[in-house]
Amino acid sequence: MNTDNKLHHSIRQLSPQLQSYLRSRVHRPQDRADLYQQTIMALLSHTSPDKLRNPLAYAITVARHLVFHHSKSNHTKTELADEYNELECTDPTSDPEAQCVLQQQVQHMEQVLLLLPPLRREVFIRCRLHHQPRAEIALELNMTEAALKKHISRAVAQLAHCRQLF
């Protein structure tokens, strides 16, 4: 069996355990799929994957690191989305002072969003506020999902930075 066949065979064997590991730690199927692909790419790009003594252990270690970094960045995104959702005034009978404070917060969020470059703003709004699937946005904007993720992460970082200034 040649090296490529051995590697593909190893990947097929470890795939169920790796997917199970990711399923137990990542809730969104899209994120699980992304992390699975990144893990497999790391395994494939290893300098000598055929010499790995335990490909599953290596894959799980890579996945653990990816999950950690994903959850760390996702925590910031979740906080920002939660803050924006809290700003929406759904109770018209609330007291006028609370309505005024909410309105100021919404205006502040809108101003911060306007500071983003147009494409970054569009990607952020479509993905984080309208919950449009990343694959769909990437296709419509003619960009890769990796580029789309970069726009989202940079938007979140910029919004978090602006939030701290105000």
Side-chain angles (χ1 to χ4, degrees):
M1 195 182 285
N2 70 21
T3 304
D4 284 344
N5 285 340
K6 285 182 187 177
L7 185 57
H8 287 97
H9 180 70
S10 293
I11 291 172
R12 277 195 300 274
Q13 283 186 318
L14 66 83
S15 183
Q17 292 105 327
L18 178 59
Q19 288 178 347
S20 175
Y21 174 83
L22 290 170
R23 213 176 4 264
S24 71
R25 284 162 177 76
V26 181
H27 299 291
R28 288 182 41 174
Q30 309 92 308
D31 294 336
R32 277 197 307 265
D34 290 344
L35 294 171
Y36 175 80
Q37 288 177 349
Q38 290 173 11
T39 302
I40 296 301
M41 289 305 297
L43 186 62
L44 291 172
S45 65
H46 190 273
T47 53
S48 54
D50 57 319
K51 293 184 181 177
L52 285 173
R53 284 192 279 182
N54 190 341
L56 177 60
Y58 179 77
I60 295 292
T61 301
V62 169
R64 185 175 337 130
H65 290 285
L66 291 171
V67 167
F68 173 77
H69 290 291
H70 169 76
S71 65
K72 188 176 177 182
S73 84
N74 202 29
H75 180 67
T76 304
K77 294 173 193 171
T78 303
E79 285 177 351
L80 191 60
D82 289 346
E83 181 176 312
Y84 186 82
N85 290 335
E86 287 173 9
L87 298 179
E88 294 178 345
C89 184
T90 57
D91 182 12
T93 62
S94 65
D95 68 286
E97 185 179 348
Q99 285 182 348
C100 182
V101 169
L102 284 173
Q103 185 61 35
Q104 287 174 347
Q105 290 174 334
V106 168
Q107 287 173 349
H108 171 69
M109 180 63 95
E110 288 172 347
Q111 289 172 349
V112 171
L113 285 172
L114 289 173
L115 294 174
L116 296 174
L119 181 59
R120 189 174 298 164
R121 180 176 51 245
E122 179 181 359
V123 167
F124 178 81
I125 289 172
R126 289 173 73 174
C127 187
R128 295 291 175 220
L129 303 179
H130 297 158
H131 306 290
Q132 189 176 357
R134 285 187 292 216
E136 186 179 309
I137 298 169
L139 184 64
E140 289 176 11
L141 296 177
N142 196 25
M143 65 172 55
T144 65
E145 283 194 55
L148 186 103
K149 286 181 188 178
K150 237 180 223 183
H151 279 290
I152 293 168
S153 65
R154 288 178 179 166
V156 168
Q158 192 172 349
L159 289 169
H161 176 72
C162 288
R163 205 174 82 213
Q164 289 174 351
L165 295 176
F166 290 99

